[in-house]
Amino acid sequence: MPCRRRASDFRWIDQFNLSLDPATAEKFHDETMPKDAHKTAHFCSMCGPKFCSMRITQDIREYAKKGMDEMSAKFRAGGSQLYVPSDRDKAAD
């Protein structure tokens, strides 16, 4: 699954098709997660929903993007200057 995809875009059929033996991969999945709702779940039986590395990675990306958006706005509000004089530099002038 490409990194650019959102966690909500997780597609099990694509994951099965990427395996060496798609039929066996799907069979194992269905044995461990037999309910129909699991066919579209955004987690697997290995880690479950609370410890899904894909979900955690997506959460980190969203958190980082929010932080970057905030810092970008602060940078633009400060005049988009890379080098801003410090208080010490201002006092020396």
Side-chain angles (χ1 to χ4, degrees):
M1 181 160 123
C3 293
R4 292 180 295 265
R5 290 203 175 273
R6 294 184 337 216
S8 62
D9 292 340
F10 191 79
R11 298 178 309 224
W12 278 107
I13 298 301
D14 291 344
Q15 295 301 305
F16 299 143
N17 289 334
L18 290 170
S19 70
L20 294 175
D21 184 355
T24 302
E26 188 169 2
K27 180 180 164 230
F28 286 160
H29 176 269
D30 291 348
E31 286 175 2
T32 57
M33 299 178 71
K35 295 181 182 176
D36 285 338
H38 294 153
K39 307 302 185 242
T40 58
H42 301 294
F43 59 89
C44 67
S45 62
M46 185 169 58
C47 300
K50 293 184 180 179
F51 300 106
C52 177
S53 65
M54 292 179 63
R55 183 193 55 79
I56 291 169
T57 300
Q58 183 61 31
D59 290 348
I60 291 169
R61 281 191 187 115
E62 289 170 4
Y63 179 79
K65 180 168 180 1
K66 181 182 174 199
M68 288 300 296
D69 289 345
E70 290 172 4
M71 290 305 291
S72 293
K74 185 177 178 181
F75 176 71
R76 285 189 296 274
S80 300
Q81 298 292 319
L82 289 178
Y83 299 102
V84 179
S86 69
D87 291 336
R88 188 178 71 187
D89 292 337
K90 289 177 189 175
D93 288 340

